Amino acid sequence: MQRDPYPHYTRARDADGLTFVPELDAWLVARDADVREVLRRAEDFSSAGSLRPDVMPSPAALAVLGGGFGGRPVVVGADGTHHQELRAPIVRGLSPARVATAVPYAAERAAALVDEFMNGQPKGGQVELMSAYARRLPGDVIGRIVGLDPADIPAVVHGGYRAEELLFRPLPEDEQIIVAQDVVETQRILDRYARARHAEPREDLCTEIVASVAQEGDGDAELTLDQRHEAASHLQNLLIAGHLTTTALIGTTVLHLLRHRDQWELLCAEPDRIPAAVEEAARYDTAVQGFRRVTTRPVTLAGTELPAGATLFVAFGAANRDGVRYPGPDEFDITRAPTRHLAFGFGAHACPGSQLAREQLRLTLRELTGRLPTLRLSEDHPVTMRPTMIHRSPQSLHLTW
């Protein structure tokens, strides 16, 4: 199901009511109308536990994590007023104006990364795009917005992937301990930034987040231990969302364009179609396949009666392939008439970083179609998808030109 959930989604949409999926330990919400209904009714479908691990770390790994910073509620798992309070600094930090100021830097980095892997092989070459580009551009961009030193960004990006592994991949206990140590090291880096920004505020998103957790009027006092945990939690969640999701989108977008050669060639010939290609790629193979929700009272959804405390997996990826809303939903078509999809969520929890992600995808496609129109998938390296529902992307993406 993690490698290719779409056949499961089709069966769930065609079934009467909701389908319980043991692998997810949840009721699968797969139809567009049902997903939108859940997202509209936040009072009935709580976000608490939306990031519940697919795999619970071992006691030894949890003991290692206990020596770090974090473990506090974050915006994606909060409801109501608390959610609004946690979301506010992120919305301010990722406002259209701030994203606009970041675009020139993103364009510069996109061009430099392509220069780097093309260097010495402009007429014909090869690259593994995920490591050479897709994992680097989003980290650099969100790191700059947050206010990280470029020297710290690789470690923070690495820590984000390690956190995802620990919570969503089955690992032997000895490996879990090593991964947990990497996660804690990242949390310590973020704690250092939180304390530094509290002492000397700057015009960056880290300062916004630290100010939101500090008590009014305590600017001269050091952050309390609880405030440090809270700030590290928010920064870790923001950075993971800010780079892993966009990395996944870059990978799947390039993958499907190159698998559909006519679409790639159309985009090379007509670059004005790039914004539409971004939306179609996000719809067709959604980076964040879904989040969990928990019922706060007995409810009926799609004719299925659910008790209070029932867990649902609200599948954005399934809704985005619903034929009721999208004609020919399983076809990848960048000429598709614009329709508002759910790749970036909907309602109160809609992704505040969606504009930033879109801008990076647009820049990526302009670079690749403009400079490497002969780009192709390598025949020597079959593509497999990473086994996770949280950030769906190619494991690796070997390309030639």
Side-chain angles (χ1 to χ4, degrees):
M1 183 164 188
Q2 291 178 323
R3 296 283 190 193
D4 183 10
Y6 293 104
H8 299 269
Y9 293 157
T10 298
R11 290 193 290 272
R13 284 193 304 269
D14 291 343
D16 293 332
L18 303 181
T19 301
F20 188 82
V21 180
E23 295 92 339
L24 297 173
D25 190 26
W27 294 91
L28 178 59
V29 185
R31 286 177 283 268
D32 177 88
D34 297 335
V35 169
R36 290 174 189 269
E37 182 176 351
V38 170
L39 297 179
R40 284 191 191 99
R41 295 168 54 187
E43 68 282 2
D44 294 333
F45 301 96
S46 170
S47 294
S50 62
L51 290 179
R52 191 189 78 188
D54 286 346
V55 180
M56 183 57 66
S58 68
L62 289 172
V64 172
L65 292 176
F69 292 88
R72 299 301 190 269
V74 293
V75 63
V76 73
D79 296 315
T81 302
H82 189 212
H83 168 254
Q84 294 170 11
E85 292 170 350
L86 296 177
R87 184 180 171 90
I90 298 173
V91 170
R92 289 194 299 271
L94 295 174
S95 68
R98 285 205 174 170
V99 170
T101 63
V103 168
Y105 172 76
E108 176 187 313
R109 288 302 298 141
L113 290 170
V114 175
D115 285 343
E116 192 174 312
F117 70 70
M118 286 183 66
N119 189 31
Q121 47 180 359
K123 294 183 179 179
Q126 56 189 356
V127 65
E128 196 289 287
L129 193 73
M130 301 308 295
S131 58
Y133 181 96
R135 291 195 184 108
R136 295 176 65 185
L137 177 67
D140 289 346
V141 172
I142 192 64
R144 183 181 177 90
I145 290 172
V146 169
L148 302 184
D149 186 309
D152 288 326
I153 290 173
V156 170
V157 169
H158 176 70
Y161 279 99
R162 298 297 261 173
E164 183 193 58
E165 284 182 58
L166 188 63
L167 299 178
F168 298 101
R169 297 276 299 277
L171 300 171
E173 183 176 80
D174 57 346
E175 191 172 347
Q176 287 186 35
I177 292 169
I178 295 170
V179 172
Q181 289 168 344
D182 288 345
V183 172
V184 168
E185 182 55 36
T186 302
Q187 292 171 345
R188 288 175 178 157
I189 293 172
L190 299 179
D191 174 60
R192 169 164 55 83
Y193 273 95
R195 288 183 287 122
R197 291 300 185 273
H198 183 63
E200 296 183 21
R202 297 185 185 178
E203 289 292 325
D204 58 31
L205 186 46
C206 183
T207 300
E208 293 269 5
I209 289 173
V210 171
S212 75
V213 305
Q215 298 298 319
E216 240 182 273
D218 71 351
D220 294 332
E222 292 185 0
L223 291 172
T224 67
L225 182 59
D226 192 60
Q227 289 168 345
R228 290 166 63 188
H229 277 286
E230 193 173 347
S233 294
H234 295 325
L235 288 168
Q236 183 179 33
N237 177 255
L238 169 67
L239 285 158
I240 289 174
H243 69 81
L244 267 76
T245 304
T246 306
T247 291
L249 279 168
I250 290 172
T252 52
T253 298
V254 174
L255 170 65
H256 294 304
L257 282 167
L258 294 179
R259 276 182 171 169
H260 298 80
R261 194 72 204 172
D262 59 328
Q263 306 275 297
W264 174 258
E265 291 175 355
L266 176 61
L267 202 60
C268 291
E270 301 180 21
D272 287 350
R273 293 186 181 273
I274 286 175
V278 167
E279 298 307 317
E280 175 64 353
R283 178 204 71 83
Y284 182 76
D285 205 356
T286 305
V288 177
Q289 287 285 299
F291 282 126
R292 287 179 169 82
R293 294 289 187 267
V294 178
T295 55
T296 60
R297 63 180 184 83
V299 297
T300 300
L301 181 67
T304 299
E305 295 183 1
L306 302 168
T311 300
L312 292 77
F313 186 82
V314 185
F316 308 144
N320 284 338
R321 295 278 192 103
D322 191 335
V324 172
R325 190 172 184 88
Y326 309 99
D330 295 320
E331 298 172 10
F332 181 74
D333 181 8
I334 67 171
T335 69
R336 184 183 299 275
T339 304
R340 189 168 292 182
H341 56 70
L342 293 171
F344 297 104
F346 172 77
H349 280 268
C351 175
S354 60
Q355 182 184 350
L356 183 63
R358 286 178 165 108
E359 292 288 358
Q360 292 178 78
L361 260 69
R362 290 169 190 159
L363 291 168
T364 297
L365 293 182
R366 289 198 181 278
E367 284 292 320
L368 297 182
T369 58
R371 299 174 64 180
L372 292 168
T374 61
L375 204 60
R376 292 182 180 276
L377 296 172
S378 171
E379 295 180 0
D380 298 330
H381 297 87
V383 177
T384 58
M385 303 302 286
R386 297 177 68 242
T388 173
M389 301 288 283
I390 193 68
H391 294 113
R392 179 171 164 79
S393 76
Q395 195 88 276
S396 60
L397 194 59
H398 292 266
L399 308 178
T400 63
W401 65 90

